[in-house]
Amino acid sequence: MLPLLLLLVTAPGAPGLTSIDYVPTLTNRTLGGRTTASTFVLEQPRCVFGDAQRGAQIWLVVALAAAADRFDASAAPGTPQLAFQTFPNNTAYATLGTALANYPCPPRPGDITVLRVGSETACRDDPERPSCNGPLPGPGPYRVKFVAWNQSGPQAETQWSEPITLKIGRAPCCRRLPAQRRDWSLLQLWPGLQPSPCARQSRGTAARRDCTHSCTEQSHGVIARGGCTRDCTAGSHGRLHVRLHGMIARAGSVLPGWGSPSGPGPPSFPPVSPPAQQADNLPVMAGGRSTGMIVLTSLLSILFAILLACLVALLATWSSDSCGSGVIFSKPDAVTVKRYNTHHVYDQPAARL
Amino acid sequence: MAKDDNSVRIFQGLLVLGNVVIGMCGIALTAECIFFVSDPHGLYPLLEAAENDDIYAAAWIGVFVGFALFSLSVLGIIGVIKSNKTLLLVYIILMLIIYAFEMASCITAATHRDFLTPNPFLKQMLERYQKLEADNNNDKRMSEEVTKTWNNLMLQNQCCGVHGPSDWQKYASAFRSMYSDADYPWPHQCCVMDARGSPVNLDGCKLGVPGYYNSNGCYDAISGPMNRQAWGVAWFGFAILCWTFWVLLGTMFYWSRIEY
């Protein structure tokens, strides 16, 4: 055994290690969680390994794209060199080890042939579980490959995948944020933690709907009713920072293992999608006034103005107290005038009162 | 003269009719605004937390204006029938005051309808949903209200986020700082639920398999009722005011022609 291992160590890519011409990819299925901030989903390696690797265990090796070249297959999975807990200080880690029989070829119809990388959170900090399928510590980029190991060492390996980059959540409030890669060791970003790349926004008319400038370090609630200023003041900066680290540590140990056990259960995701770190942020200002509102306001104002004018005119004429002008509307009792017709006027038209 | 008598009666009849219509519209306005104020969709906490709940202020004004219109129309009818100058002057002045209030209500409702775009709601959701730490009691209460409202919204309307579950991935949020991305790529309320209220398949939901999670956004469920409220208050009020304008003009003319 020892000479064999030495042979493998001194001669990487030695004849004992078959190279399989297969490039792992993210799943082809349309899945909402194809890549998230700390997980991605790969296609399972069905019909990739042949009978020669029947007795071996197929492991997934994950490495940072920049360090992929330094990966040495002679280290066995389950050892500290390939432990998840020390990643990325070590070059790579191995996880999701399973027998070849769990990747039947051809796939049964109706099977969802995916592997979710990063689904186990309970063992994230547990050194007793070096093959933990823990969430990835940053956006990457990562490269993966499948390696078949048995008791005598690595038997076969696939090619490295294309670089897989995970999503980065950006702060929702600052406008025109310059494209900036955040420190991915702080996995969860919180607007209060936002370093000052948020440009100072003009206060403008300080409409209370305008939350765009509320998340700069300089804004401290000058806006009269800005509901979003409170969260982003510099005063809360340090406090949030410290608490966040504590929460990450707590979350890793406390959360129950939601992820599926390491095995070909969950579907895998296809290759990397570009990170969400565009500069554009959410403009929160209301758009221009709608036509309906303008029409309504102007018509109502005109009508009200006319009414007020009429009232003023009315009161003015009333106070000047002119009597007898115009027709008089009196009580419903009509005033009747009697006309006395003499016999001279029979042929006159009837009197109309 | 009979002709003048007839025209007087007709004019009075018209004014009475006008006031009857105002009274009925006032009752309808009160009813409509009470309906809106009662917040049947449970969306008020979202606006309150954004400190932009003027649509509700407009509806509250509408409640009282409607009732005042009804009362004043009764006064107007009595004044026209009795041809009493004092009554009618009081009627005119009070009506103008109510007119101004209703105008304010309509314009407020129409103006704040323009606030209803997705981004403010998205920002608020990301900042407040499941936010545990708070600066003060009021802040804590608002975060709880927003959380509760969003949970109800997502469960009842089978939707997720404002634009979709990707909101939780694209943006940093209070939710993200509380719950790890691997276990909760989006809240579990976005999962398709069975009859007992638990996810049908949690793994499928976390992966985002179509059919196991709700991939549509909740913005329509928010903006639909709010738009109806804003436009209902604004345009119905506008219609009432247009009608009232003519009745008031007629009343002023009638008043100017009454002889003591």
Side-chain angles (χ1 to χ4, degrees), chain A residues 251-329:
Chain A
S253 53
V254 165
L255 284 172
W258 286 100
S260 48
S262 57
S268 13
F269 286 102
V272 189
S273 58
Q277 53 170 2
Q278 303 84 301
D280 210 14
N281 289 75
L282 298 176
V284 207
M285 278 192 74
R289 301 282 181 241
S290 63
T291 322
M293 192 276 296
I294 294 174
V295 163
L296 190 131
T297 310
S298 46
L299 279 178
L300 284 181
S301 312
I302 291 170
L303 294 182
F304 191 57
I306 293 174
L307 282 178
L308 279 181
C310 287
L311 178 69
V312 167
L314 207 63
L315 293 176
T317 53
W318 181 44
S319 62
S320 68
D321 205 27
S322 59
C323 49
S325 59
V327 181
I328 292 171
F329 287 169

Coordinates of all heavy atoms in Angstrom, one line a residue, chain A residues 251-329:
Chain A
A251 N -25.9 30.5 14.0 CA -26.8 29.8 13.0 C -26.2 28.5 12.6 O -26.9 27.6 12.4 CB -27.0 30.8 11.8
G252 N -24.9 28.5 12.4 CA -24.3 27.3 12.0 C -24.5 26.1 12.9 O -24.8 25.0 12.5
S253 N -24.5 26.4 14.2 CA -24.6 25.3 15.1 C -26.0 25.0 15.6 O -26.3 23.9 15.9 CB -23.7 25.6 16.4 OG -24.1 26.9 16.9
V254 N -26.9 26.0 15.5 CA -28.2 25.7 16.1 C -29.2 25.2 15.1 O -30.0 24.4 15.4 CB -28.7 27.1 16.7 CG1 -30.2 27.0 17.0 CG2 -27.9 27.4 17.9
L255 N -29.1 25.6 13.9 CA -30.1 25.2 12.9 C -30.1 23.8 12.7 O -29.0 23.2 12.5 CB -29.9 26.0 11.6 CG -30.3 27.4 11.6 CD1 -29.8 28.1 10.3 CD2 -31.8 27.6 11.7
P256 N -31.2 23.1 12.7 CA -31.3 21.7 12.4 C -30.9 21.4 11.0 O -30.9 22.2 10.1 CB -32.8 21.3 12.6 CG -33.5 22.6 12.4 CD -32.6 23.7 12.8
G257 N -30.5 20.2 10.7 CA -30.1 19.8 9.4 C -31.2 19.7 8.5 O -31.9 18.7 8.4
W258 N -31.5 20.8 7.7 CA -32.6 20.7 6.8 C -32.2 20.0 5.6 O -33.0 19.4 4.8 CB -33.0 22.1 6.4 CG -33.7 22.8 7.5 CD1 -33.2 23.7 8.4 CD2 -35.1 22.7 7.9 NE1 -34.2 24.2 9.3 CE2 -35.4 23.5 9.0 CE3 -36.1 21.9 7.4 CZ2 -36.6 23.6 9.5 CZ3 -37.4 22.0 8.0 CH2 -37.6 22.9 9.0
G259 N -30.9 20.1 5.2 CA -30.5 19.5 3.9 C -30.7 18.0 3.9 O -30.7 17.3 4.9
S260 N -30.8 17.5 2.7 CA -30.9 16.1 2.5 C -29.6 15.4 2.8 O -28.5 16.1 2.7 CB -31.4 15.8 1.1 OG -30.6 16.5 0.2
P261 N -29.6 14.2 3.2 CA -28.3 13.5 3.5 C -27.4 13.5 2.3 O -27.9 13.5 1.2 CB -28.8 12.1 4.0 CG -30.1 12.0 3.5 CD -30.7 13.3 3.4
S262 N -26.2 13.3 2.6 CA -25.2 13.4 1.5 C -25.5 12.2 0.6 O -25.2 11.0 0.9 CB -23.8 13.4 2.0 OG -23.6 12.2 2.8
G263 N -26.0 12.4 -0.5 CA -26.3 11.3 -1.4 C -27.0 11.9 -2.6 O -27.4 13.1 -2.6
P264 N -27.2 11.1 -3.6 CA -27.8 11.7 -4.8 C -29.3 11.9 -4.6 O -30.1 11.2 -5.2 CB -27.5 10.6 -5.9 CG -27.4 9.3 -5.1 CD -26.9 9.7 -3.8
G265 N -29.6 12.8 -3.8 CA -31.1 13.0 -3.6 C -31.5 14.2 -4.4 O -32.2 14.1 -5.4
P266 N -31.1 15.4 -3.9 CA -31.6 16.6 -4.5 C -31.1 16.8 -5.9 O -30.0 16.4 -6.2 CB -31.2 17.7 -3.6 CG -30.2 17.1 -2.6 CD -30.1 15.7 -2.9
P267 N -31.8 17.5 -6.7 CA -31.4 17.7 -8.1 C -30.1 18.6 -8.1 O -29.9 19.4 -7.2 CB -32.5 18.5 -8.7 CG -33.6 18.4 -7.7 CD -33.1 18.0 -6.4
S268 N -29.4 18.6 -9.2 CA -28.2 19.4 -9.3 C -28.5 20.6 -10.2 O -29.4 20.5 -11.1 CB -27.0 18.6 -9.8 OG -27.5 17.4 -10.3
F269 N -27.7 21.6 -10.1 CA -28.0 22.8 -10.8 C -26.9 23.0 -11.9 O -25.8 22.6 -11.7 CB -27.9 24.0 -9.9 CG -29.1 24.1 -9.1 CD1 -29.1 23.7 -7.7 CD2 -30.3 24.6 -9.6 CE1 -30.2 23.8 -7.0 CE2 -31.5 24.6 -8.8 CZ -31.4 24.3 -7.5
P270 N -27.3 23.6 -12.9 CA -26.4 23.8 -14.0 C -25.4 24.9 -13.7 O -25.4 25.5 -12.7 CB -27.3 24.3 -15.2 CG -28.6 24.2 -14.7 CD -28.6 24.0 -13.2
P271 N -24.5 25.3 -14.6 CA -23.4 26.1 -14.4 C -23.8 27.5 -13.8 O -24.9 27.9 -13.8 CB -22.7 26.3 -15.7 CG -23.2 25.2 -16.5 CD -24.5 24.7 -16.0
V272 N -22.7 28.1 -13.4 CA -22.8 29.3 -12.6 C -23.6 30.4 -13.3 O -23.4 30.6 -14.5 CB -21.4 29.9 -12.4 CG1 -21.4 31.0 -11.5 CG2 -20.5 28.7 -12.0
S273 N -24.3 31.2 -12.5 CA -24.9 32.4 -13.1 C -24.1 33.6 -12.6 O -23.4 33.5 -11.6 CB -26.3 32.5 -12.7 OG -26.4 32.6 -11.3
P274 N -24.1 34.7 -13.3 CA -23.2 35.8 -12.9 C -23.7 36.4 -11.6 O -24.9 36.4 -11.2 CB -23.4 36.9 -14.0 CG -24.6 36.4 -14.7 CD -24.8 35.0 -14.5
P275 N -22.8 36.9 -10.8 CA -23.2 37.4 -9.5 C -24.0 38.7 -9.6 O -23.9 39.5 -10.5 CB -21.9 37.8 -8.8 CG -20.9 38.0 -9.9 CD -21.4 37.1 -11.0
A276 N -24.9 38.9 -8.6 CA -25.8 40.1 -8.6 C -25.1 41.2 -8.0 O -25.4 41.6 -6.8 CB -27.1 39.8 -7.9
Q277 N -24.1 41.8 -8.6 CA -23.4 42.9 -7.9 C -23.4 44.1 -8.8 O -22.5 44.9 -8.8 CB -22.0 42.5 -7.5 CG -21.2 41.9 -8.6 CD -19.8 41.8 -8.2 OE1 -19.4 42.1 -7.1 NE2 -18.9 41.4 -9.1
Q278 N -24.5 44.3 -9.6 CA -24.5 45.5 -10.4 C -24.6 46.7 -9.5 O -25.1 46.7 -8.4 CB -25.8 45.5 -11.3 CG -25.9 44.3 -12.2 CD -26.5 43.1 -11.5 OE1 -26.0 42.7 -10.5 NE2 -27.6 42.6 -12.0
A279 N -24.3 47.8 -10.1 CA -24.3 49.0 -9.3 C -25.7 49.5 -9.1 O -25.9 50.2 -8.1 CB -23.5 50.1 -10.1
D280 N -26.6 49.2 -10.0 CA -27.9 49.8 -9.9 C -28.6 49.3 -8.6 O -28.7 48.2 -8.3 CB -28.7 49.4 -11.1 CG -29.7 50.5 -11.5 OD1 -29.5 51.6 -10.9 OD2 -30.6 50.2 -12.2
N281 N -29.2 50.2 -7.9 CA -30.0 49.9 -6.7 C -31.4 50.3 -6.9 O -31.7 50.9 -7.9 CB -29.3 50.4 -5.5 CG -28.0 49.7 -5.2 OD1 -27.1 50.0 -5.8 ND2 -28.1 48.9 -4.2
L282 N -32.2 50.1 -5.9 CA -33.6 50.4 -6.0 C -33.9 51.8 -5.9 O -33.7 52.4 -4.9 CB -34.4 49.6 -4.9 CG -34.3 48.1 -5.0 CD1 -35.0 47.6 -3.8 CD2 -34.9 47.6 -6.2
P283 N -34.3 52.4 -7.0 CA -34.8 53.8 -6.8 C -36.1 53.8 -6.2 O -37.0 53.1 -6.7 CB -34.8 54.3 -8.3 CG -35.0 53.1 -9.1 CD -34.4 52.0 -8.3
V284 N -36.3 54.5 -5.1 CA -37.5 54.4 -4.4 C -38.4 55.6 -4.6 O -39.5 55.7 -4.2 CB -37.3 54.2 -2.9 CG1 -38.5 53.5 -2.3 CG2 -36.0 53.5 -2.7
M285 N -37.9 56.6 -5.3 CA -38.7 57.8 -5.5 C -39.9 57.5 -6.3 O -39.8 56.7 -7.3 CB -37.9 58.9 -6.1 CG -37.1 59.6 -5.1 SD -36.4 61.1 -5.8 CE -37.8 62.2 -5.8
A286 N -41.0 58.1 -6.0 CA -42.2 57.9 -6.9 C -42.0 58.5 -8.2 O -41.2 59.5 -8.4 CB -43.4 58.6 -6.2
G287 N -42.5 57.9 -9.2 CA -42.3 58.4 -10.6 C -43.1 59.7 -10.7 O -43.6 60.3 -9.8
G288 N -43.1 60.2 -11.9 CA -43.8 61.5 -12.2 C -45.3 61.4 -11.8 O -45.8 60.3 -11.7
R289 N -45.9 62.5 -11.6 CA -47.3 62.5 -11.3 C -48.1 61.9 -12.4 O -47.8 62.2 -13.6 CB -47.8 63.9 -11.0 CG -47.0 64.6 -9.9 CD -47.5 64.0 -8.6 NE -46.8 64.6 -7.5 CZ -46.1 63.9 -6.6 NH1 -46.0 62.7 -6.7 NH2 -45.5 64.5 -5.6
S290 N -49.1 61.2 -12.1 CA -49.9 60.6 -13.2 C -50.9 61.7 -13.7 O -51.2 62.6 -13.1 CB -50.7 59.4 -12.6 OG -51.6 59.9 -11.6
T291 N -51.3 61.4 -14.9 CA -52.2 62.4 -15.6 C -53.5 62.5 -14.9 O -54.0 63.7 -14.7 CB -52.5 61.9 -17.0 OG1 -51.4 61.3 -17.6 CG2 -53.0 63.0 -17.9
G292 N -54.0 61.4 -14.4 CA -55.3 61.5 -13.7 C -55.2 62.4 -12.5 O -56.2 63.2 -12.2
M293 N -54.2 62.3 -11.8 CA -54.0 63.2 -10.6 C -54.0 64.6 -10.9 O -54.6 65.5 -10.3 CB -52.8 62.7 -9.8 CG -52.7 63.3 -8.4 SD -52.0 64.9 -8.4 CE -50.4 64.7 -9.0
I294 N -53.3 64.9 -12.0 CA -53.1 66.3 -12.4 C -54.5 66.9 -12.9 O -54.9 68.0 -12.5 CB -52.1 66.5 -13.5 CG1 -50.7 66.1 -13.0 CG2 -52.1 67.8 -14.1 CD1 -49.6 66.0 -14.0
V295 N -55.2 66.1 -13.7 CA -56.5 66.5 -14.2 C -57.4 66.8 -13.0 O -58.1 67.8 -12.9 CB -57.1 65.4 -15.1 CG1 -58.6 65.6 -15.3 CG2 -56.4 65.4 -16.4
L296 N -57.5 65.8 -12.1 CA -58.3 65.9 -10.9 C -58.1 67.1 -10.1 O -59.0 67.9 -9.8 CB -58.2 64.6 -10.1 CG -59.1 64.4 -9.0 CD1 -59.6 63.0 -9.1 CD2 -58.5 64.6 -7.6
T297 N -56.8 67.3 -9.8 CA -56.4 68.5 -9.0 C -56.8 69.8 -9.7 O -57.4 70.7 -9.1 CB -54.9 68.5 -8.7 OG1 -54.6 67.2 -8.3 CG2 -54.5 69.5 -7.7
S298 N -56.5 69.9 -10.9 CA -56.7 71.2 -11.6 C -58.2 71.4 -11.7 O -58.7 72.6 -11.5 CB -56.0 71.2 -13.0 OG -56.3 70.0 -13.7
L299 N -59.0 70.4 -12.1 CA -60.4 70.7 -12.2 C -61.1 71.0 -10.9 O -61.9 72.0 -10.8 CB -61.1 69.4 -12.8 CG -61.0 69.2 -14.3 CD1 -61.7 67.9 -14.7 CD2 -61.7 70.3 -15.0
L300 N -60.7 70.3 -9.9 CA -61.3 70.6 -8.6 C -60.9 72.0 -8.1 O -61.7 72.8 -7.6 CB -60.8 69.6 -7.5 CG -61.5 68.3 -7.6 CD1 -61.0 67.4 -6.5 CD2 -63.0 68.4 -7.5
S301 N -59.7 72.4 -8.4 CA -59.2 73.7 -8.0 C -60.0 74.8 -8.7 O -60.4 75.8 -8.1 CB -57.7 73.9 -8.3 OG -57.0 72.9 -7.8
I302 N -60.2 74.6 -10.0 CA -61.0 75.6 -10.8 C -62.4 75.7 -10.3 O -62.9 76.8 -10.1 CB -61.0 75.2 -12.3 CG1 -59.6 75.3 -12.9 CG2 -62.0 76.0 -13.1 CD1 -59.5 74.7 -14.2
L303 N -63.0 74.5 -10.0 CA -64.4 74.6 -9.5 C -64.5 75.3 -8.2 O -65.4 76.1 -8.0 CB -65.0 73.1 -9.4 CG -65.1 72.3 -10.7 CD1 -65.7 71.0 -10.4 CD2 -66.0 73.1 -11.7
F304 N -63.6 75.0 -7.3 CA -63.6 75.6 -6.0 C -63.4 77.1 -6.1 O -64.0 77.9 -5.4 CB -62.6 74.9 -5.1 CG -62.7 75.3 -3.7 CD1 -63.8 75.1 -3.0 CD2 -61.6 75.9 -3.0 CE1 -64.0 75.4 -1.6 CE2 -61.7 76.2 -1.7 CZ -62.9 76.0 -1.0
A305 N -62.5 77.5 -7.0 CA -62.3 78.9 -7.2 C -63.5 79.6 -7.7 O -63.8 80.7 -7.2 CB -61.1 79.1 -8.2
I306 N -64.2 79.0 -8.6 CA -65.4 79.6 -9.1 C -66.5 79.7 -8.0 O -67.1 80.8 -7.9 CB -66.0 78.8 -10.3 CG1 -65.1 78.8 -11.5 CG2 -67.4 79.2 -10.7 CD1 -65.5 77.9 -12.6
L307 N -66.6 78.7 -7.2 CA -67.6 78.8 -6.1 C -67.2 79.9 -5.2 O -68.1 80.6 -4.7 CB -67.6 77.4 -5.4 CG -68.4 76.3 -6.1 CD1 -68.3 75.0 -5.3 CD2 -69.9 76.7 -6.3
L308 N -66.0 80.0 -4.8 CA -65.6 81.0 -3.9 C -65.8 82.4 -4.5 O -66.3 83.3 -3.8 CB -64.1 80.9 -3.5 CG -63.8 79.8 -2.5 CD1 -62.3 79.8 -2.2 CD2 -64.5 80.1 -1.2
A309 N -65.6 82.5 -5.8 CA -65.8 83.8 -6.4 C -67.3 84.2 -6.4 O -67.7 85.3 -6.1 CB -65.3 83.8 -7.8
C310 N -68.1 83.2 -6.7 CA -69.5 83.4 -6.6 C -70.0 83.8 -5.3 O -70.8 84.7 -5.1 CB -70.3 82.2 -7.1 SG -70.2 81.9 -8.8
L311 N -69.5 83.1 -4.3 CA -69.9 83.5 -2.9 C -69.5 84.9 -2.6 O -70.3 85.6 -2.0 CB -69.2 82.5 -1.9 CG -69.5 82.7 -0.5 CD1 -71.0 82.5 -0.2 CD2 -68.7 81.9 0.5
V312 N -68.3 85.2 -2.9 CA -67.8 86.6 -2.6 C -68.7 87.6 -3.3 O -69.1 88.6 -2.7 CB -66.3 86.7 -3.0 CG1 -65.9 88.2 -3.0 CG2 -65.4 85.9 -2.1
A313 N -69.0 87.3 -4.6 CA -69.8 88.3 -5.3 C -71.2 88.4 -4.7 O -71.8 89.5 -4.6 CB -70.0 87.8 -6.8
L314 N -71.7 87.2 -4.3 CA -73.0 87.2 -3.6 C -73.0 88.0 -2.4 O -73.9 88.9 -2.2 CB -73.3 85.7 -3.3 CG -74.7 85.3 -3.2 CD1 -75.4 85.4 -4.5 CD2 -74.8 83.9 -2.7
L315 N -72.1 87.8 -1.6 CA -72.0 88.6 -0.3 C -71.8 90.1 -0.6 O -72.3 90.9 0.1 CB -70.9 88.0 0.6 CG -71.2 86.6 1.1 CD1 -70.0 86.1 1.9 CD2 -72.4 86.6 1.9
A316 N -71.1 90.3 -1.6 CA -70.8 91.8 -1.9 C -72.1 92.4 -2.4 O -72.5 93.5 -1.9 CB -69.8 91.9 -3.0
T317 N -72.9 91.8 -3.2 CA -74.1 92.4 -3.7 C -75.1 92.4 -2.5 O -75.9 93.4 -2.5 CB -74.7 91.6 -4.9 OG1 -74.8 90.2 -4.5 CG2 -73.8 91.7 -6.1
W318 N -75.1 91.5 -1.7 CA -76.0 91.5 -0.6 C -75.8 92.6 0.4 O -76.7 93.3 0.8 CB -75.9 90.1 0.1 CG -76.8 89.9 1.3 CD1 -78.1 90.3 1.4 CD2 -76.5 89.5 2.6 NE1 -78.7 90.0 2.6 CE2 -77.6 89.5 3.4 CE3 -75.3 89.0 3.2 CZ2 -77.7 89.0 4.7 CZ3 -75.3 88.5 4.5 CH2 -76.5 88.6 5.2
S319 N -74.5 92.8 0.6 CA -74.2 93.9 1.5 C -74.5 95.3 1.0 O -74.8 96.2 1.7 CB -72.7 93.9 2.0 OG -71.9 94.0 0.8
S320 N -74.4 95.4 -0.3 CA -74.8 96.7 -0.9 C -76.3 96.8 -1.0 O -76.8 97.9 -1.2 CB -74.2 96.8 -2.4 OG -74.8 95.8 -3.2
D321 N -77.0 95.7 -0.7 CA -78.4 95.8 -0.4 C -79.2 96.5 -1.5 O -80.0 97.4 -1.2 CB -78.6 96.4 0.9 CG -79.9 96.0 1.5 OD1 -80.4 94.8 1.2 OD2 -80.5 96.7 2.3
S322 N -79.1 96.0 -2.7 CA -79.9 96.5 -3.7 C -81.2 95.8 -3.7 O -81.2 94.6 -3.8 CB -79.2 96.4 -5.1 OG -78.9 95.0 -5.3
C323 N -82.3 96.5 -3.7 CA -83.6 95.8 -3.7 C -84.3 96.1 -5.0 O -84.1 97.2 -5.7 CB -84.4 96.3 -2.6 SG -84.5 98.0 -2.4
G324 N -85.1 95.2 -5.4 CA -85.9 95.4 -6.6 C -85.2 95.1 -7.9 O -85.6 95.5 -8.9
S325 N -84.0 94.6 -7.8 CA -83.3 94.3 -9.1 C -83.7 92.8 -9.5 O -83.6 91.9 -8.7 CB -81.8 94.4 -8.9 OG -81.4 93.5 -7.9
G326 N -84.1 92.8 -10.7 CA -84.4 91.4 -11.2 C -85.7 90.9 -10.7 O -86.5 91.5 -10.0
V327 N -86.0 89.7 -11.1 CA -87.2 89.1 -10.7 C -87.2 88.7 -9.3 O -86.1 88.2 -8.8 CB -87.5 87.9 -11.7 CG1 -88.8 87.3 -11.3 CG2 -87.4 88.3 -13.1
I328 N -88.2 88.8 -8.7 CA -88.2 88.4 -7.2 C -88.9 87.1 -7.1 O -90.0 86.8 -7.5 CB -89.0 89.5 -6.4 CG1 -88.2 90.8 -6.5 CG2 -89.2 89.1 -5.0 CD1 -89.0 92.0 -5.9
F329 N -88.2 86.2 -6.4 CA -88.7 84.9 -6.1 C -89.4 85.0 -4.7 O -88.7 85.1 -3.7 CB -87.7 83.8 -6.0 CG -87.1 83.4 -7.4 CD1 -86.0 82.6 -7.4 CD2 -87.7 83.9 -8.5 CE1 -85.5 82.3 -8.7 CE2 -87.2 83.5 -9.8 CZ -86.1 82.7 -9.8

